[in-house]
Amino acid sequence: MTRDEAGFLASYDPRAYDPVAVTVDVVALTIRDGALSVLLVRRAHPPFADAWALPGGFVVAGGADGGGEDLPDAAVRELAEETGLAAADAALDRLHLEQLGTYGAPGRDPRMRVVSVAYLAFAPALPDPAAGGDAADAAWTPVAALGLTAAGAQPPGTTRPLAFDHARILADGLERARAKLEYTPLATAFCAAEFTIPELRAVYEAVWGEELHAGNFHRKVLSVPGFVEGTGGTSDAPGRRGGPRPRLYRAGDARLLHPALLRPSREEEVR
Amino acid sequence: MTRDEAGFLASYDPRAYDPVAVTVDVVALTIRDGALSVLLVRRAHPPFADAWALPGGFVVAGGADGGGEDLPDAAVRELAEETGLAAADAALDRLHLEQLGTYGAPGRDPRMRVVSVAYLAFAPALPDPAAGGDAADAAWTPVAALGLTAAGAQPPGTTRPLAFDHARILADGLERARAKLEYTPLATAFCAAEFTIPELRAVYEAVWGEELHAGNFHRKVLSVPGFVEGTGGTSDAPGRRGGPRPRLYRAGDARLLHPALLRPSREEEVR
DNA sequence: TAAATAGTGTCTTTGAGACACTATTTC
DNA sequence: GAAATAGTGTCTCAAAGACACTATTTA
């Protein structure tokens, strides 16, 4: 650093600017009882007290000398804090986390200018959360129960309206999830370490909201290089309604599916 | 708003938190002389004075009572300010702008904690920029000249090292652009309002960095519903090296290409 | 035994890519 | 005329989806 740069740094006063708060919000998805579900918390404090919202909160900034937390770390911390899931929990180990987008329209938070970085998480079936932090309650909620429109709005009279612009964020997260299942092997992130092809198909059906042809799906999954690899084992199939024991598979080493596994209902094809 | 909420808002002091600055940075791409190029500015002030960087700057926050600017507006403003392109310019009208991602690792800016929301812009050929704002210079730069690796790093000794983590942001923007050409009609955003199929092919070749089969490309583009629509006109083809006059097309009404136009070289297929 | 399910075989249709060819233009 | 290019025809191969079928399990 030159002397000029050092001098500039010393005279720099960040508080001369209007303040902006940075938060993270997490769209955590899982499959519970065959239904795609999102983790929601009930807000204990205003604004939107008692309303349901995505788990999230302020990022620890740290001073000019460092000490702040990185954004993905903040997302995992908020997820753990507000749900009682220990950050060291084995379940959180298998978590897939990716950045979804940033929402910063003026007025989206009545307190002040807040820019929120949203993260999208895929998790295998997790235990019921325990409320913690600023949350009065926490629960996995089937997304179908929220009455979300594709445009990211909830019609008036919805039983569980979301705080802030969280309906918009959730709608974006759902669309991202649906798209990612097409060309990445991330459906395996919703499964346990070992899974069967029918279980994997159930994930696709829950996320896409439509039934898939069992036979063609099976052949397709096995034909995509690196999607899954067999373990040699067989499921012990508790509580099924008949049929042979399906074989067990692990996630393969592919990071992209090629050829992709495209959604059937593409009549819309947004024009 | 309940009285409780109003009381909470009145007592809320945003300055109790460590400050975080929010900036926007723009990866503006265009095709110049057949080469995919990015708009860079030379920084007039520390940190990284005299280094090249993506155009960008602080977001106008506004107070609790509003008055701040939305993030996409800030991106367009920075683009206009630092390049001398008038915001009302017809060229900026045809601009495609989308959010790329948010970069907020502690220490990425030596002054303080800075969270930067990056935007990706596709533009038709634009005039040479004129430096303005905090920029000492501004220029369209062929991305090949920057020696970027796929990992988003620049090898030591690069002629034009980028400030901050802008090499990473640019690499992410390029990969996003390459992917988007596959399944959206955004290649047309690099073209004038009317264009020929060979011009469109040149866009794909510049962004993907490989040659495409002219005949198959032509048939493919016309076979995807809503990609392009004919104008009935014919190019007057100045300065070509022979061959018939190509027909003119406009962008169609499709927002997704189906079937997609996949990149040929997918041997890698990241495992 | 009946019903449900795992997994495979096969046929049809669509689309991608290779190659060939004609027509049109510039040098 | 030679070379380059726009645009079309045609063939082959890969892949998606429909349908059928067998084997295996539960109720």
Side-chain angles (χ1 to χ4, degrees), chain B residues 25 28 31 46 48 53 66 85 96 100 103 121 123 129 142 161 186 212 214 221 234 246 264 267-268:
Chain B
D25 290 311
I31 314 279
F48 295 99
L85 299 167
H96 166 81
L100 174 59
Y103 299 79
L186 282 179
L212 301 176
V221 167
T234 302
E267 305 102 41
E268 340 120 51

Side-chain angles (χ1 to χ4, degrees), chain B residues 73 75-95:
Chain B
D73 297 338
V76 172
R77 176 182 55 74
E78 289 290 346
L79 196 54
E81 263 180 31
E82 300 200 36
T83 61
L85 299 167
D89 196 315
L92 288 184
D93 273 9
R94 287 185 43 75
L95 195 76

Side-chain angles (χ1 to χ4, degrees), chain B residues 208-257:
Chain B
W208 286 350
E210 51 192 320
E211 296 209 339
L212 301 176
H213 185 287
N216 288 339
F217 180 87
H218 190 106
R219 185 169 346 111
K220 170 67 184 178
V221 167
L222 294 184
S223 76
V224 175
F227 192 178
V228 300
E229 57 185 29
T231 66
T234 302
S235 166
D236 47 359
R240 280 159 58 259
R241 293 188 293 171
R245 309 290 173 83
R247 297 174 199 155
L248 286 171
Y249 295 86
R250 269 188 296 270
D253 58 356
R255 297 204 295 182
L256 293 173
L257 301 185

Side-chain angles (χ1 to χ4, degrees), chain B residues 127-141:
Chain B
D128 272 311
D134 289 334
D137 198 359
W140 290 106
T141 308

